[in-house]
Amino acid sequence: MSQASEAITGGRLMVELLEEAGVEIVFGYPGGAILPFYDELYHSKKIKHILVRHEQGAIHMAEGYARSTGKLGVCIATSGPGATNLITGLTDAKMDSVPILAITGQVATTDIGTDAFQEADIFGITIPITKYNALIKRADDIPRHFEEAIKIAMGGRPGPVLLDFPKDVQIQKTTAKKAEKLKIAPHHYERPKVKGDPQEFAEILNQAKRPLLYVGGGAINSFASAEIKALAEKANAPVTTTLMGLGAFPGSHPLSVGMLGMHGTAYANKAVLECDYILNLGARFDDRVARYQDFAPNAIRAHIDIDASEFNKRVNVDYILHGDLKDAIREILPFIKGGDRSSWISTINQLKKDHPLDFDNSGEVIKPQDFMHKVYQRSKGKAIVSTDVGQHQMWAAQYYLFDEPNTWLTSGGLGTMGYGLPAAIGAKFGNPDKTVICVTGDGSFQMCIQELATIAQSKLGVKILLFNNNFLGMVRQWQELFYEERFSESQWTYNPNFVKLAESYDIPAMRIEKKSDIDKGIEFFLKDENAALIEVMIPAEEKVFPMIPSGKSQKDLIEFKDLGKMKK
Amino acid sequence: MKHTLSILVNNHPGVMSHVSGLFTRRGYNIDSIAVGVTDDTEVSSMTIVLNGDDFVVGQVKNQLLKLPDVLKVQDMAYANSVQRELVLISFSITEANRGEALTICNGFGVKILEMTEDSVLVEFSGNSRQVTNFISVVKPFGIREISRTGQIAIAYRNQNSV
């Protein structure tokens, strides 16, 4: 067909490639250097564009969409400031292994390097924070760069990629359709064969008396939840998950000991100390979880990961399987024997009984833990929950039990305040039939608060649970415990009226302050599928427990009941 | 312990930034880096010498393999590869020590590129130790200018010869 070789613009070609890749939604913000591309996007019937209020919002939306659907998230920005506003999100996606494609406008190739208006070297800037990036110099190169970019974003350990798209290349005509040859080695995108000895790996687990499975975010990316459940049940082994792994194993399962780490449950952290075998499934011995070789000091350590550079990075391990988690577990499952672990399971159950998640719920004030738990009950644990960063994030992680993967969206590695609201928006676009709740605090909420407009303009049913203590609560907690109550710059001496603010965006809102208002508040918040904001006033002194102080290990865990001891 | 990594990479302008940036942000120290195009104009060869134990070098290799432009990484064992550096040195001579200088140059088998009344410009190549040794020998003459490459290396085909 002669039509097949008809020349089209680079911008049109990019739109067609996005369509062919199955991209249904993109989050973006136009500007001078990306206008030719937006002009072509205008004609697309397959791609829905969500106009945001700030590029940081666009990339966090793409992250929320990707994390909740398992698909590629796509965001678009113009050159210069538009592109640099994506930096935080790219770094976030790199840390948490979220597949994101960012397309940025760039000044024309003839102007590059001349300090042109809205020029920034986004290729150079994003080298350390992307898995792959490219400056597209000719329209003929678009198919190759596009294919390399999405293969790398989705392949292996997922992550962000960026295509910098000069304005003249968007206009240039080309007949190229498909990449003739990729310039990247296949190991960057092909699903690797499992390397290691699955049988030996299984036998070490079989011999363990007190095994513990330690599940990370890799389990979500590998879609390995069913395999992990099968492994845990067959081996009769308790399971703890990292912050990023929540939902990869059902939080309400009898073998679940919940989250481990700095603010994990006491019983999970104590299980780490007592286990004689620990199997890391797609986690990375992060510093909020593992204090180098102090971690699981009595255990044989085993690790399955798709990223070979994670082996022995922070904590040395004894056994390694390199490959996709889902494939690797499938290979070891046939060799797993049941074994009697009743003594270990009863030890775990005793730990749960002796060291429960705890807080003082006596007074008339609302306790965030209590409220979070009631939101869990009312939504039957079925909601997708996004969070910002701080105390509210930990309370959500502790008191909302996640039974399904891809239902928990949080900035774990980078700890990005401002992530929660746009991530919830992206998730709602990807999951219109599910309840999506953004749990936030009065600090974080104000970092991407402009995206309330995106909710309003799309009439999107995003729920916002705002815990307000008029403080940067986690900063305050550290200052109280470790800086002799010198609350340096952690108190908001001014906060807006959040209820009126939400209402000005046509989002129904309510503030509650007393325990007796909780039922009324929950009813208002979750009664229908429309957007709503509930502002829950909580005491500034409320702290997140348990807690492992920074730089300490599991044995230094402070529980709620130890609080008196600490404060003296 | 010193390790020599031989790396094949895509030959385009961003590659050096990607590779050198990796060393900076992961806190690895490199002694030298040498780059040149191979017989395939789309592929460059990089030779990196770094100091570190086997664990660090293993990490470096794994991190390098994650860069999309890196096609192959080879850890060169000293005994099973040829390692070379090249140095260009211009040093001072006088009427009195010209003879001694020429004897040294002959002994090391260096190539003399230019000779003036009061200076000589030479080219010498060898492994890192030989080059360092040669430099220390001519240093007393008074080095005017020196330019030394990073190390390049290639593995012997027959790896069982040692």
Side-chain angles (χ1 to χ4, degrees):
Chain A
M1 299 282 283
S2 63
Q3 272 178 334
S5 61
E6 192 187 323
I8 56 171
T9 67
R12 172 79 181 277
L13 177 58
M14 186 69 90
V15 171
E16 287 183 4
L17 288 167
L18 286 165
E19 288 175 345
E20 281 166 26
V23 173
E24 293 164 354
I25 189 165
V26 297
F27 305 91
Y29 203 113
I34 193 78
L35 278 179
F37 172 79
Y38 265 88
D39 195 45
E40 298 290 359
L41 193 61
Y42 184 78
H43 301 292
S44 174
K45 292 187 175 63
K46 293 184 185 155
I47 300 173
K48 181 172 176 177
H49 180 276
I50 305 304
L51 179 60
V52 302
R53 291 301 183 273
H54 186 292
E55 291 86 352
Q56 185 180 355
I59 190 160
H60 291 326
M61 284 178 208
E63 284 188 277
Y65 176 85
R67 192 91 186 151
S68 64
T69 62
K71 296 182 197 165
L72 179 72
V74 181
C75 62
I76 299 159
T78 191
S79 65
T84 56
N85 280 343
L86 298 176
I87 299 302
T88 302
L90 288 169
T91 316
D92 191 272
K94 183 89 188 310
M95 287 285 257
D96 286 346
S97 309
V98 188
I100 296 294
L101 168 64
I103 300 173
T104 51
Q106 180 55 279
V107 301
T109 51
T110 46
D111 292 332
I112 287 178
T114 66
D115 301 318
F117 177 66
Q118 292 195 329
E119 180 184 358
D121 173 18
I122 203 68
F123 173 83
I125 292 170
T126 58
I127 283 175
I129 54 169
T130 52
K131 269 188 89 182
Y132 170 95
N133 66 357
L135 168 63
I136 306 175
K137 292 195 175 128
R138 303 177 314 149
D140 292 350
D141 292 339
I142 294 171
R144 174 172 68 83
H145 284 309
F146 183 85
E147 196 177 329
E148 289 178 347
I150 60 170
K151 278 195 153 140
I152 287 184
M154 300 293 286
R157 176 180 180 170
V161 297
L162 181 138
L163 293 175
D164 201 20
F165 200 10
K167 194 171 186 179
D168 55 337
V169 181
Q170 296 168 40
I171 300 163
Q172 216 174 68
K173 291 278 179 81
T174 177
T175 55
K177 288 277 171 199
K178 265 198 148 76
E180 282 174 17
K181 181 171 166 270
L182 301 187
K183 289 197 175 177
I184 49 173
H187 77 260
H188 291 298
Y189 52 88
E190 278 176 1
R191 197 175 178 117
K193 283 218 165 62
V194 177
K195 282 188 226 115
D197 185 345
Q199 187 171 357
E200 180 198 39
F201 212 82
E203 271 156 20
I204 304 300
L205 171 52
N206 289 337
Q207 284 159 23
K209 293 200 168 59
R210 301 184 304 279
L212 181 66
L213 309 186
Y214 150 45
V215 177
I220 311 273
N221 284 328
S222 167
F223 302 97
S225 293
E227 284 75 12
I228 290 169
K229 189 155 171 266
L231 176 64
E233 287 174 351
K234 196 166 174 192
N236 215 3
V239 180
T240 180
T241 64
T242 66
L243 181 69
M244 295 310 293
L246 290 174
F249 184 77
S252 60
H253 195 287
L255 285 169
S256 170
V257 291
M259 180 172 78
L260 82 170
M262 184 175 268
H263 292 297
T265 64
Y267 38 93
N269 284 313
K270 287 179 188 299
V272 169
L273 289 174
E274 293 195 18
C275 66
D276 67 352
Y277 168 93
I278 191 157
L279 172 54
N280 175 334
L281 301 168
R284 56 186 180 90
F285 297 109
D286 174 73
D287 61 80
R288 304 282 112 162
V289 165
R291 178 72 196 153
Y292 296 102
Q293 311 310 339
D294 293 352
F295 185 69
N298 303 311
I300 291 171
R301 304 182 191 125
H303 190 179
I304 305 178
D305 209 291
I306 197 161
D307 180 354
S309 70
E310 288 299 342
F311 298 127
N312 298 313
K313 188 181 79 176
R314 295 191 73 255
V315 173
N316 292 338
V317 293
D318 306 296
Y319 296 91
I320 283 168
L321 274 189
H322 178 211
D324 184 88
L325 188 56
K326 190 187 187 82
D327 299 344
I329 299 177
R330 283 186 175 178
E331 289 194 20
I332 61 174
L333 264 177
F335 303 111
I336 297 290
K337 298 197 184 86
D340 175 27
R341 302 235 158 79
S342 53
S343 143
W344 173 229
I345 299 292
S346 67
T347 305
I348 293 280
N349 289 336
Q350 195 60 43
L351 285 173
K352 285 184 180 177
K353 210 174 283 172
D354 295 345
H355 304 276
L357 281 172
D358 202 9
F359 61 98
D360 175 11
N361 200 19
S362 53
E364 253 314 291
V365 291
I366 303 173
K367 288 303 179 77
Q369 301 92 330
D370 181 34
F371 194 84
M372 204 61 236
H373 186 64
K374 292 199 161 108
V375 169
Y376 167 68
Q377 288 173 320
R378 172 66 188 250
S379 60
K380 302 187 179 72
K382 300 282 185 213
I384 293 175
V385 175
S386 80
T387 74
D388 272 300
V389 173
Q391 289 183 312
H392 70 270
Q393 179 188 28
M394 294 300 121
W395 287 318
Q398 292 175 336
Y399 290 89
Y400 200 103
L401 300 184
F402 296 91
D403 284 343
E404 298 285 334
N406 306 97
T407 58
W408 165 248
L409 318 171
T410 200
S411 171
L414 194 64
T416 307
M417 292 170 71
Y419 167 91
L421 182 64
I425 295 171
K428 185 69 181 176
F429 276 116
N431 303 270
D433 301 330
K434 287 201 173 164
T435 302
V436 178
I437 302 171
C438 165
V439 181
T440 186
D442 53 313
S444 291
F445 188 40
Q446 294 184 72
M447 282 219 183
C448 270
I449 201 164
Q450 73 286 347
E451 302 307 331
L452 287 173
T454 309
I455 294 177
Q457 85 189 355
S458 297
K459 300 196 169 32
L460 206 61
V462 169
K463 308 286 189 184
I464 302 160
L465 164 52
L466 168 64
F467 285 121
N468 186 353
N469 54 9
N470 291 308
F471 258 97
L472 291 171
M474 192 59 96
V475 173
R476 189 196 178 285
Q477 174 166 341
W478 282 53
Q479 288 172 333
E480 180 181 326
L481 297 177
F482 310 116
Y483 293 87
E484 298 170 324
E485 306 195 4
R486 290 184 298 276
F487 299 119
S488 179
E489 301 301 318
S490 54
Q491 183 174 17
W492 298 116
T493 51
Y494 177 84
N495 256 334
N497 181 326
F498 290 109
V499 169
K500 277 192 189 165
L501 182 81
E503 284 170 353
S504 78
Y505 286 101
D506 299 315
I507 297 170
M510 180 188 214
R511 177 186 300 120
I512 58 172
E513 297 179 44
K514 294 196 301 284
K515 200 185 267 172
S516 51
D517 294 333
I518 289 181
D519 290 342
K520 196 172 63 181
I522 298 253
E523 171 63 19
F524 164 83
F525 187 49
L526 294 174
K527 65 177 185 292
D528 58 28
E529 280 308 306
N530 298 326
L533 178 144
I534 184 147
E535 180 185 15
V536 181
M537 304 305 294
I538 59 167
E541 303 76 33
E542 195 60 31
K543 282 179 278 298
V544 180
F545 285 108
M547 178 179 198
I548 300 173
S550 185
K552 298 287 181 63
S553 82
Q554 263 73 18
K555 62 182 190 305
D556 305 302
L557 181 97
I558 304 163
E559 291 181 65
F560 172 73
K561 61 184 179 190
D562 305 326
L563 178 63
K565 256 192 306 198
M566 265 224 42
K567 285 204 70 175
K568 289 202 191 95
Chain B
M1 191 187 154
K2 280 211 196 308
H3 283 255
T4 305
L5 297 179
S6 174
I7 308 164
L8 292 181
V9 296
N10 282 324
N11 178 18
H12 76 77
V15 175
M16 273 300 278
S17 306
H18 271 111
V19 173
S20 58
L22 172 70
F23 284 89
T24 323
R25 69 178 176 272
R26 297 266 173 197
Y28 309 133
N29 287 316
I30 34 183
D31 286 5
S32 77
I33 186 163
V35 195
V37 73
T38 63
D39 58 317
D40 177 351
T41 53
E42 303 214 324
V43 176
S44 292
S45 156
M46 271 190 201
T47 310
I48 293 175
V49 181
L50 74 159
N51 232 325
D53 55 22
D54 287 349
F55 166 71
V56 169
V57 174
Q59 276 287 306
V60 170
K61 269 170 77 175
N62 284 331
Q63 290 293 346
L64 281 168
L65 281 168
K66 284 164 71 171
L67 299 177
D69 283 316
V70 171
L71 306 171
K72 193 179 163 194
V73 180
Q74 205 181 349
D75 189 358
M76 299 278 197
Y78 186 80
N80 284 333
S81 61
V82 192
Q83 328 232 341
R84 287 293 178 269
E85 290 177 25
L86 182 126
V87 67
L88 299 172
I89 309 179
S90 166
F91 60 92
S92 303
I93 47 170
T94 61
E95 199 84 33
N97 66 18
R98 177 184 295 243
E100 187 195 346
L102 288 177
T103 310
I104 288 169
C105 288
N106 272 332
F108 275 89
V110 307
K111 206 185 267 179
I112 297 176
L113 304 174
E114 185 194 40
M115 209 161 194
T116 68
E117 288 274 298
D118 60 353
S119 76
V120 59
L121 170 63
V122 298
E123 169 192 330
F124 177 68
S125 76
N127 65 31
S128 191
R129 178 189 289 247
Q130 291 164 333
V131 170
T132 302
N133 179 233
F134 177 69
I135 293 169
S136 69
V137 169
V138 298
K139 201 168 180 184
F141 289 91
I143 291 174
R144 294 183 163 190
E145 222 177 317
I146 184 167
S147 182
R148 181 178 182 172
T149 66
Q151 181 176 289
I152 55 169
I154 202 160
Y156 288 115
R157 296 297 300 165
N158 183 356
Q159 290 284 302
N160 302 319
S161 61
V162 180

